Amino acid sequence: SRSGSYFYDGCAMRMPALDASLVLALHGAAARLSPGAPLWLYGLLEEGVLAHGSRTLSSVSSSANGEGGGRPLFVNVRTVATVGSAVLFAATRAHRAPAQARCSSWSSLVELELPPSHIPSNGLFDLGKGDSAKGDVGKGKDPSLPVGKGTNPSFPSLSLPWTVLPGLFAGGELDMMTRFMLERLPSPPQVF
């Protein structure tokens, strides 16, 4: 890094698995690289480094969505080394090609669908133990019920607005492990 500046003289980056994540990461790197600075991108053949690493690195541009239309962010894209299944690319940060580094440039609002099993019959979230048949939703009256049960399965699912970035939070869907976690959280306090 140059003294007194926020620009760096080089960057080594592990290739993200998704094209959209790679474009976002390349913009982030480009925003802090000095013009003419090298970028090294590496990954494995099994992860598709040849299929999308070189192509994305060559095509990422300064346009609003990061692809096509604007000036290229990186030039002189080349394969530097291949060892076993590992591949290393190099590129040079282009001059006069602004990067879209602000998260707000990349975020999108989606509707996150919570399954009916998370919505109690009393209309409040029930993320703990309860027995809806006895009217004890969220109160943990029946410890024999598994966590996440005791909700009203006939209640429609709930949509919540959710802000996502490329490659984060399962593309705007409720992923398996987050669902698992939600099903095991205690019930939130009821506010009257």
Side-chain angles (χ1 to χ4, degrees), residues 107-154:
S107 66
S108 59
L109 187 64
V110 298
E111 291 292 318
L112 181 65
E113 294 285 329
L114 290 180
S117 65
H118 290 92
I119 304 168
S121 57
N122 65 3
L124 299 173
F125 284 97
D126 176 26
L127 301 176
K129 296 178 181 179
D131 185 354
S132 61
K134 297 178 185 175
D136 294 329
V137 174
K139 297 178 183 164
K141 297 290 186 183
D142 186 356
S144 66
L145 288 174
V147 174
K149 299 297 182 190
T151 58
N152 184 351
S154 64

Side-chain angles (χ1 to χ4, degrees), residues 2 9-10 16 23 25 29 60 79 84 86 95 109 117 141 147 167 169 175 177 188 192:
R2 293 185 190 150
D9 295 325
V23 172
V60 70
T79 302
H95 295 267
L109 187 64
S117 65
K141 297 290 186 183
V147 174
F169 202 72
D175 64 88
M177 293 312 292
F192 296 97

Side-chain angles (χ1 to χ4, degrees), residues 136-190:
D136 294 329
V137 174
K139 297 178 183 164
K141 297 290 186 183
D142 186 356
S144 66
L145 288 174
V147 174
K149 299 297 182 190
T151 58
N152 184 351
S154 64
F155 199 84
S157 62
L158 177 68
S159 292
L160 297 173
W162 205 258
T163 302
V164 296
L165 292 168
L168 297 177
F169 202 72
E173 296 180 10
L174 189 61
D175 64 88
M176 179 179 16
M177 293 312 292
T178 303
R179 180 184 313 268
F180 180 82
M181 178 192 71
L182 286 173
E183 289 173 347
R184 279 142 184 88
L185 287 173
S187 296
Q190 292 186 4

Side-chain angles (χ1 to χ4, degrees), residues 10 13 15 28 45 57 61 65 68-69 71 73 79 87 91-92 95 113 119 121 123 137 166 177 188:
M13 178 189 301
M15 187 185 78
L45 293 172
L57 188 53
S61 71
N65 68 358
R71 296 174 184 253
L73 294 179
T79 302
V87 179
T92 304
H95 295 267
E113 294 285 329
I119 304 168
S121 57
V137 174
M177 293 312 292

Side-chain angles (χ1 to χ4, degrees), residues 73-91:
L73 294 179
F74 297 96
V75 295
N76 194 21
V77 176
R78 61 210 178 276
T79 302
V80 175
T82 303
V83 179
S85 67
V87 179
L88 174 65
F89 295 106

